[in-house]
Amino acid sequence: MKEFESYSRIGTMPHRSYYIPFRDGDEIKYKHGIIDRNASSSFLSLDGEWDIKQLEHVEDFVIDEKLDKKIPVPACVQMHGFDGIQYLNARFPFPVMPPYVPYENPCWHYRRSFTLNKEENEKYYLNFEGVDSAFYLYVNGTLKGYSQISHATSEFDITELVCDGENTVDVLVLKWCASTYLECQDKFRFSGIFRSVYVLCRPKEHITDYKIETKLEGGKGILTFINQSDVAAELSFEGENKTVNAREKVEFCFDNVTPWTAEDPKLYTLTVLANGEKIIENVGFRQVTIEGKVFKINGEHIKLKGVNRHDFNCDTAATVTLENMLLDIKLMKELNVNSVRTSHYPNAPEFYLLCDVYGIYVMDEADLETHGACKRRGSYDDILWQEYADDMLFAPGITDRHAALVERDKNRTSVIIWSLGNESSFGKSFIEGAKYIRSHDSTRPIHYESLQHAAAEYYYTDLVDMCSMMYPTTAVIKERVLDNPGETRPFVLCEYTHAMGNSCGDIAEYWEQIYANDQLMGAYVWEWADHGIRTEGGFLYGGDFGETEHDGNFCADGLLTPDRKIKSSTLEMKAVYGGKLTSPIKEIPVPEIKGNCGKIEIEANERTAELVSIKADGKEILRTPMHFNFTRYTDNDRKLVAPWSTKYRLEACKPIVISCEKTDSSYGFKGVIAANCLEPCVHFDLIYKVCENALTVDFSYKIADYVENLPRIGFELGVDKSCGAFEYVGYGPMESYCDKHIAADYGRYRSTAEENYDKNYVRPQESGSHYACSYLGIDNCFAVTAESPFSCSVNPYTTKQLIKAKHGFELTENDFVNVCIDLGMRGVGSYSCGPALPARYEIPKEGRNVFKFTF
């Protein structure tokens, strides 16, 4: 069997903890709060420009062939004109026949040279921090080895292959290998050397690995250093020096230590010296325990206010810089986030150092997901997952991933939980890997949500320490966890409130339950930021690159935009994570309305009941007719688009007048909204009446019994573009909905159409509505009040434009401002991947409101 059709790694060093050694005389420098590894004279970076050539097959590789192109390293090849960009959520990208991959398997031959002053008593290690998906390594023309696991560090001892002077490294990177079956994560599928490459120059006898453990006893802090190397070391910690022999351990005990927490991430410096080499570890005293059903840090019950995070940048894809990581962490702190789940693989090593310094609790997840298994026969089937989980073919690869996870990050204070992976079920092939983590680190609990999809015999396995779910309702949590006497484990929501588009309408209800129950550890929003590739026009997603198989804009499902701009969902999370769970309506006086128009004239279409003309003192107000509006698009409506468009045919529905009564100053209509071939979906009564300088609109409706729900019901009209400024009394200043207004406050606000519409949605959609309004004033045009609260928006685009456009750059400018006034607007929820919208946030099946327009 070829290496790339097995789970072997050949010629690599054992997995070890992440550290960068310094020479004893080196000055330790810091960058962004963490040790600057470039300051080490033992560290030789190979990042920079490499030669590259794309091959169609592994067999095409020739070691001394001419490489005709250049590429920066680290980078993803697809971002530099090679291969093609593809986004897939839960499918394998090729015919499913593990462990085999197609013969047509693109490969990339990389090459670069470097100069080395080789010393007789030194060893040299070449490190690759991330290569997707697998690679062969040649040093000076000789094959050194083969490695896989895309998000794990591969370290090679190249001492015997390098020479004094110039050396050449050739790397053959494969797009696919056996590991691809274990790396079916929801993300753009990128390839290449996407993380840093460097050489470590070390003494012949040196520290290879060690484990640092801390615990708290009373006011004392105890640090245990476990030497996993074959050489002794000198330790210096807080003014105390000790020697630790090879394969032995020592303890340091101190009074009055400050425990490390996300709020107060106090770190202490440990120096490890051996044979002229020093390693600096900044360590926090932090202890994780589970007491009964309660998860605790440092003996205190805490709530994990979390997000799921990918390593992703809209310009460089899976390659992220230290500055990118720091920006994310600083934003998280500003937004009241205290925890990250590294979905669904270990993030770049320096991310964890930043989490140590800035204070972020980390659920560290193995590079493991077999999501495509459950769809390999054309439909979604959990049993197909279980078959893979029980298939021992995968066991070596799974165990190796669990070892890579725990060994690399075992000394990071910020890591509080290990996660076995994501959406892969659980079975025989997982046992050894889970046991490896348990036996190599007893200081942290183990998480794994996919027990929910596994055979019943595994559900309460002692290899997993907590219950976890994705996207249940609060009622399900109550039934299966809180009211279940058999569920004695703490509970965490590893994914919830799917933040795709205009979303997160359910976040406050989850946290009412979480704050009220100690068994509930917390929750992680899916996900931190949208995935989108930036172009001059805007962001692109699945299907925009000519790929046949893709999952559309399902990757644009984050709290932030791809370039880290804030959205209303971000602010909703911030408010709830900050402890705000309600935002009551206040008594806000409606502005004094002074109508200065002497005469109002209206004209209605007697067949459709739409207002085609409103004249104030002879001046036409309308730029588009005032018509019924009962459609919208949000990403969370995506599962409803089919019934709305095919079952109820909403886009084909038209108003039909059954009777019309007309006077000089009024119209009275009875009618329906209906499409061909279908019974009416809505029955309505509508009265337009002019009284002095005002127009009243009395509208009542009844939704047909066969129609389960409607997106909204109200009116839409266009007014002159000069009337783009407006004022309202309602929830603001950000957009707000019946289920999403915790971040908002009830008050009086001013805005403009351009400011009101959120252009940050990768795919355009319903935006800018304001819930529970009592007043809307369009400058230089009209004011609206009503007998009952209403929703409204003033935007530059129409509802139809926002439904049809697939990207922001497809929206065309109008010569009018679009106004929506809604009797009812359904909540936004999180149904794109989460639970269905609760009935209380649907539009009532019948209703009435009386609006007064004053000109």
Side-chain angles (χ1 to χ4, degrees):
M1 182 181 290
K2 304 180 184 73
E3 295 88 359
F4 59 85
E5 292 177 340
S6 75
Y7 291 103
S8 301
R9 290 187 306 119
I10 301 169
T12 56
M13 300 298 293
H15 297 299
R16 65 165 175 86
S17 61
Y18 172 80
Y19 61 82
I20 298 297
F22 284 69
R23 300 293 186 186
D24 197 12
D26 288 344
E27 179 186 355
I28 305 298
K29 296 181 179 179
Y30 285 79
K31 185 177 183 180
H32 301 309
I34 68 173
I35 292 173
D36 182 1
R37 62 192 188 180
N38 290 289
S40 170
S41 59
S42 300
F43 179 87
L44 175 61
S45 174
L46 297 189
D47 289 354
E49 188 176 75
W50 289 51
D51 297 325
I52 190 172
K53 180 180 180 180
Q54 179 165 317
L55 310 174
E56 297 308 311
H57 315 284
V58 174
E59 292 87 344
D60 295 342
F61 174 75
V62 178
I63 185 65
D64 57 355
E65 65 185 326
K66 181 180 178 180
L67 308 187
D68 53 356
K69 297 185 183 299
K70 305 286 186 182
I71 192 171
V73 168
C76 300
V77 297
Q78 288 85 357
M79 299 299 288
H80 293 270
F82 299 97
D83 196 39
I85 296 175
Q86 181 181 34
Y87 163 63
L88 284 174
N89 171 21
R91 291 181 286 169
F92 294 122
F94 46 58
V96 182
M97 44 185 184
Y100 304 107
V101 296
Y103 175 72
E104 293 79 12
N105 186 6
C107 304
W108 296 274
H109 183 175
Y110 288 76
R111 181 186 296 142
R112 77 156 289 167
S113 297
F114 64 95
T115 301
L116 197 64
N117 296 318
K118 187 174 183 181
E119 301 287 344
E120 185 176 343
N121 292 319
E122 286 195 341
K123 293 181 76 70
Y124 301 92
Y125 297 91
L126 182 54
N127 282 260
F128 294 81
E129 288 189 338
V131 181
D132 197 328
S133 68
F135 65 103
Y136 291 89
L137 171 65
Y138 293 77
V139 179
N140 292 327
T142 299
L143 177 63
K144 173 56 189 175
Y146 166 84
S147 192
Q148 54 188 317
I149 308 181
S150 295
H151 299 87
T153 299
S154 299
E155 184 173 46
F156 299 86
D157 181 351
I158 59 171
T159 307
E160 300 303 319
L161 296 180
V162 293
C163 62
D164 186 44
E166 185 173 275
N167 294 269
T168 300
V169 173
D170 286 88
V171 181
L172 179 65
V173 176
L174 285 65
K175 180 173 182 176
W176 298 314
C177 67
S179 281
T180 308
Y181 289 100
L182 300 178
E183 296 177 6
C184 188
Q185 292 103 340
D186 175 11
K187 62 184 179 69
F188 280 102
R189 308 298 174 90
F190 289 111
S191 314
I193 305 174
F194 68 95
R195 287 181 181 166
S196 288
V197 184
Y198 51 86
V199 175
L200 295 179
C201 311
R202 310 197 63 183
K204 192 170 185 179
E205 303 293 332
H206 58 81
I207 290 287
T208 52
D209 205 2
Y210 51 86
K211 188 171 190 290
I212 300 169
E213 296 180 352
T214 62
K215 62 181 178 180
L216 299 162
E217 291 185 357
K220 293 183 177 181
I222 300 170
L223 181 145
T224 302
F225 184 93
I226 304 166
N227 188 354
Q228 298 173 330
S229 310
D230 292 327
V231 299
E234 300 297 320
L235 308 179
S236 177
F237 187 65
E238 292 300 297
E240 186 174 349
N241 300 316
K242 292 189 177 185
T243 299
V244 58
N245 293 322
R247 303 293 169 180
E248 294 186 5
K249 64 183 178 180
V250 296
E251 283 188 353
F252 293 88
C253 184
F254 295 96
D255 293 326
N256 303 316
V257 298
T258 300
W260 183 95
T261 64
E263 295 71 34
D264 183 14
K266 172 67 175 176
L267 296 173
Y268 297 84
T269 300
L270 170 69
T271 302
V272 183
L273 297 168
N275 297 333
E277 188 178 67
K278 63 182 175 185
I279 300 168
I280 305 298
E281 287 282 3
N282 292 305
V283 183
F285 284 92
R286 186 266 304 126
Q287 187 169 352
V288 181
T289 56
I290 292 176
E291 298 177 19
K293 299 179 179 181
V294 182
F295 175 84
K296 294 184 176 182
I297 294 179
N298 303 332
E300 299 291 330
H301 172 55
I302 58 100
K303 297 296 187 185
L304 301 176
K305 301 172 181 179
V307 293
N308 284 271
R309 177 187 178 273
H310 276 280
D311 273 342
F312 182 80
N313 177 286
C314 59
D315 298 313
T316 57
T319 298
V320 294
T321 64
L322 188 62
E323 288 71 26
N324 296 152
M325 294 182 265
L326 179 62
L327 173 62
D328 277 355
I329 289 173
K330 286 186 172 180
L331 283 170
M332 288 173 192
K333 300 296 284 189
E334 292 173 12
L335 296 169
N336 297 322
V337 171
N338 70 3
S339 188
V340 168
R341 177 181 177 223
T342 64
S343 51
H344 299 294
Y345 46 79
N347 287 181
E350 289 171 300
F351 178 75
Y352 300 81
L353 298 177
L354 291 170
C355 290
D356 287 353
V357 170
Y358 287 89
I360 295 288
Y361 299 122
V362 177
M363 178 190 286
D364 201 6
E365 190 152 275
D367 193 355
L368 176 60
E369 180 170 343
T370 64
H371 213 145
C374 66
K375 295 183 111 176
R376 69 186 193 269
R377 292 177 188 160
S379 60
Y380 210 97
D381 188 345
D382 279 0
I383 300 249
L384 299 179
W385 252 343
Q386 187 66 54
E387 288 178 5
Y388 272 34
D390 280 327
D391 190 339
M392 295 304 289
L393 167 71
F394 301 105
I398 293 172
T399 301
D400 200 18
R401 285 156 197 279
H402 291 155
L405 170 75
V406 71
E407 297 298 353
R408 194 197 73 173
D409 297 334
K410 62 193 173 193
N411 294 328
R412 297 280 62 82
T413 302
S414 53
V415 175
I416 60 168
I417 298 168
W418 303 118
S419 180
L420 298 181
N422 185 64
E423 293 176 314
S424 302
S425 191
F426 185 88
K428 297 173 185 176
S429 64
F430 279 76
I431 302 299
E432 289 307 311
K435 285 182 176 179
Y436 185 99
I437 294 178
R438 182 73 85 209
S439 63
H440 284 72
D441 183 39
S442 61
T443 68
R444 299 173 177 92
I446 296 175
H447 162 272
Y448 192 53
E449 182 274 340
S450 262
L451 291 179
Q452 300 293 336
H453 305 280
E457 65 190 277
Y458 296 117
Y459 190 72
Y460 290 106
T461 174
D462 60 5
L463 295 173
V464 176
D465 298 300
M466 59 196 69
C467 178
S468 176
M469 293 182 192
M470 296 179 181
Y471 311 109
T473 63
T474 54
V476 168
I477 297 171
K478 185 176 187 299
E479 175 189 354
R480 293 181 54 186
V481 179
L482 298 175
D483 292 346
N484 178 7
E487 187 51 84
T488 59
R489 302 168 292 183
F491 173 82
V492 66
L493 276 167
C494 69
E495 293 179 23
Y496 81 120
T497 195
H498 196 258
M500 187 176 184
N502 191 345
S503 187
C504 300
D506 49 10
I507 188 169
E509 293 184 25
Y510 282 108
W511 279 88
E512 288 174 1
Q513 188 179 55
I514 291 168
Y515 283 133
N517 293 278
D518 285 354
Q519 188 177 5
L520 307 188
M521 299 164 55
Y524 293 81
V525 176
W526 185 268
E527 63 173 310
W528 172 239
D530 292 335
H531 298 227
I533 304 301
R534 178 154 49 191
T535 66
E536 288 185 5
F539 296 108
L540 303 182
Y541 49 76
D544 290 333
F545 307 97
E547 68 272 46
T548 303
E549 294 85 22
H550 64 85
D551 286 304
N553 72 317
F554 202 65
C555 54
D557 55 0
L559 292 160
L560 303 174
T561 64
D563 56 349
R564 298 332 194 235
K565 290 186 175 68
I566 301 294
K567 296 186 278 188
S568 62
S569 298
T570 327
L571 299 175
E572 194 79 352
M573 179 202 69
K574 178 183 180 180
V576 172
Y577 279 9
K580 184 182 180 186
L581 295 178
T582 60
S583 185
I585 293 178
K586 303 171 185 175
E587 290 293 330
I588 304 293
V590 169
E592 183 181 0
I593 301 172
K594 295 182 178 180
N596 56 10
C597 172
K599 184 179 181 183
I600 300 295
E601 301 171 274
I602 63 171
E603 179 184 350
N605 184 320
E606 295 181 25
R607 295 186 302 278
T608 65
E610 298 172 346
L611 276 180
V612 296
S613 176
I614 303 175
K615 290 181 179 178
D617 289 337
K619 180 183 177 182
E620 181 59 58
I621 298 296
L622 296 179
R623 292 294 178 269
T624 64
M626 180 169 158
H627 57 274
F628 296 106
N629 192 16
F630 41 85
T631 61
R632 75 173 191 191
Y633 174 82
T634 72
D635 285 324
N636 284 301
D637 295 335
R638 64 202 310 267
K639 296 177 185 175
L640 298 172
V641 168
W644 286 346
S645 62
T646 58
K647 183 177 180 180
Y648 309 138
R649 303 192 65 208
L650 293 187
E651 291 184 28
C653 282
K654 297 177 181 179
I656 299 170
V657 171
I658 295 172
S659 66
C660 171
E661 296 182 5
K662 178 182 177 183
T663 70
D664 290 342
S665 59
S666 68
Y667 290 85
F669 295 101
K670 286 185 178 294
V672 298
I673 296 170
N676 290 342
C677 310
L678 298 176
E679 293 179 0
C681 64
V682 175
H683 293 257
F684 67 84
D685 289 277
L686 176 60
I687 300 171
Y688 300 118
K689 185 174 183 180
V690 173
C691 183
E692 298 180 347
N693 64 355
L695 166 67
T696 60
V697 180
D698 185 338
F699 180 53
S700 58
Y701 70 89
K702 186 177 187 304
I703 299 173
D705 291 341
Y706 81 92
V707 177
E708 188 174 346
N709 52 37
L710 289 179
R712 72 194 318 160
I713 192 156
F715 301 97
E716 182 175 30
L717 62 146
V719 298
D720 193 84
K721 203 164 187 175
S722 64
C723 303
F726 67 99
E727 183 178 27
Y728 63 97
V729 174
Y731 280 104
M734 69 287 295
E735 61 192 12
S736 55
Y737 298 83
C738 59
D739 64 340
K740 179 184 176 179
H741 56 271
I742 301 300
D745 288 311
Y746 200 83
R748 180 174 170 179
Y749 299 96
R750 286 196 62 81
S751 188
T752 67
E754 287 294 328
E755 294 171 353
N756 190 59
Y757 175 73
D758 191 342
K759 296 182 175 65
N760 287 322
Y761 293 122
V762 172
R763 175 171 177 172
Q765 57 199 277
E766 158 58 36
S767 172
S769 188
H770 298 283
Y771 171 60
C773 288
S774 60
Y775 169 83
L776 169 65
I778 310 292
D779 283 10
N780 305 313
C781 197
F782 59 78
V784 182
T785 56
E787 290 184 359
S788 302
F790 58 94
S791 292
C792 62
S793 64
V794 181
N795 285 335
Y797 307 112
T798 65
T799 300
K800 186 174 182 179
Q801 284 179 290
L802 297 179
I803 291 173
K804 296 298 183 185
K806 299 297 189 292
H807 303 84
F809 53 78
E810 296 174 15
L811 291 169
T812 55
E813 186 175 343
N814 295 310
D815 60 358
F816 58 87
V817 170
N818 198 70
V819 180
C820 291
I821 299 171
D822 293 300
L823 283 76
M825 168 81 78
R826 78 189 300 266
V828 294
S830 65
Y831 192 37
S832 51
C833 194
L837 190 73
R840 61 186 174 279
Y841 296 130
E842 296 286 2
I843 298 168
K845 294 289 277 188
E846 54 186 293
R848 175 177 179 262
N849 206 347
V850 180
F851 299 93
K852 182 180 181 182
F853 290 72
T854 304
F855 297 87

